[in-house]
Amino acid sequence: MTQVLDKPVQLSAPDSTAERTARRRAFLEWIAVHSLGVAAALFFTLPFVFVFLTSLMSDSQALSRDLIPHTWEWGNYQKVFDTPGFLTWWRNTLFYAGLGTVLTVVSSLPVAYALAKFRFRGRNPAMMLVISMMMLPPQVIIIPMYLFWAKQLDLSGTLWPLIIPMAFGDAFSIFLLRQFLLTIPNEYLDAAKVDGCGELRALLRVVVPMAKPGIAAVALFQFFYAWNDYFGPQIYASENAGAWTLSYGLESFKGMHHTDWNLTMAATVLVMAPVILVFFFAQKAFVEGVTLTGVKG
Amino acid sequence: MTAYTLRAKRRKAAFRTAAFLSPWLIGFTVFFAYPLISTVYFSFMHYDGFRPPTFSGAKNWIYVFRDYPYFWPAMRNTLWLVVVMVSLRVVFGLGVGLLITKIKTGTGVFRTLFYLPYLAPPVAATMAFAFLLNPGTGPVNSILEKTGIPAPAWFNDPTWSKPALTLLALWGIGDLMVIFMAALLDVPQEQYEAAELDGASAWQRFRYVTLPNISPIVMFAVVTGVIQTMQYYAQPLIAGKVASGVIQGAGTNFEPGYPENSTWTLPQLVYNLGFQRFDYGSACVVALVLFALSMVFTAFLMRRRGGLIQAGD
């Protein structure tokens, strides 16, 4: 091979048989890989397409086996918004996800910073506890938690039992932020301290600007956690329709519109759309976050 | 430096550490340690939420393991999901990860399309699949029947309900794809070149170069997959509710597991016992079973040498 590379490439020269088979193999591989890619792409996108198409069908057509709408009923989306409660669910979801995200970031950041950059006894056990908390199914502790919030504090029928704990650090966010903060060289912090910065100032002035991508990833994950949460609202908000969130309300929406698959799918699109929209603006943060959770120790 | 200032300095550092950790210290105590201990306490009490709790010894434990009709179906389902769903997810995720590293044209578009389903909110995705796989009007069965393939009843058939859930899980593979992709791109290129010089076939290169290099990530995917299965809640519940057609709205006393107990999972048992039957004691027994299983796999995740997740650095 080296001999070939030493000579200038002769494009016009007749191919040797070996080269020709190699090129043909590369071409066939390209075809095979990209056909597989298209097949996979169909598997991943067709559900969205069918859901969207159904959301635009008339009531009767949605019950037929047609795949494509005869008439495009954009009014279905208006009907969804007119369903009593739907706008309230939006408001509640934004409130829960928004406030929850802010509280989570503010409370998890100093903890992650301490776990990543302070040397103290018990740091490794603390980290293990964080990971254990992260892996704990929420159902394990739900009975005492419910009794605590509902019977002692009388907060059932609201989303506060879900929001308040977020002011005390979230294990997954702490873990993710710590992974990110480990990648920030200590020299920056030492330099800040030589300049007379305290730890808190170093965190706010040096670490936060450098950790923006990590913070963005945590904020997104937390926002979508709350947006997608079904179990939490089911436990605490189910008795009061005024406190339902989109994820929880969507299921009951199917109950209200028993046979209306078109409206149900329109509502489904409306619950999916914001998440996907945000993704297009924040792709990097997402992918970075997913990678951080998995790979680098 | 005198001993006094050294001690003062140390005390200051300890105080500073405690201050930074304080949100989590409170959170850990109030929202983890206390409820966990309470769960153990309630598992030995009879408590319906109205009359004060009374000590009942091992009664709840015996009830859950021997008389509660859904416990063993849920355990069997969990085992099925761990074996089939988790392994298929890992294999498929790795396959899609490999595919995306091989795609040379339009990589960004493909990657985005493969990733998007992962973002779909689980409840919405489940509603969508309950519709897509609906035996009567769903597009999937329309297409299958047009092509002459006998179409299963999916979420309405106990033998197909878990495969249908698996299909839904495979659709949302985006996170695993990204993790595998990152790992695959990290495999040193020289090793492939060396293998190729030795005349290794594509399969041999995968078997002897790729796999050993990414095996920690495969392990990570398996263990986190198992832990996720322990938390599997909304999808089987919603799928069963929608497919059964009995939902009258949230809060209805729907017995999950439809069809024929084929979609019961352990977290659903906690809800059923605690919030539908008001038997908080027995719910806590299931919660502890769930806790024990989760912690076994979490310990495995942390203990393996090389650290799938390293606690320290």
Side-chain angles (χ1 to χ4, degrees), chain A residues 63 65 151 178 234 248 251, chain B residues 135-137 145 233 241 250 311:
Chain A
L63 287 172
R65 307 197 114 189
K151 307 253 165 184
R178 174 195 171 266
Q234 184 191 24
Y248 189 65
E251 174 228 330
Chain B
T137 58
E145 277 164 23
Y233 181 80
K241 275 193 184 186

Side-chain angles (χ1 to χ4, degrees), chain B residues 141-157:
Chain B
N141 280 14
S142 315
I143 293 169
L144 284 181
E145 277 164 23
K146 265 179 211 153
T147 53
I149 300 168
W154 301 110
F155 291 120
N156 291 88
D157 177 348

Side-chain angles (χ1 to χ4, degrees), chain B residues 5 14 21 34 77 80 92 163 165 183 235 294:
Chain B
T5 51
L21 291 178
Y34 152 77
N77 291 340
W80 193 101
F92 188 63
L165 288 169
Q235 291 92 330
S294 304

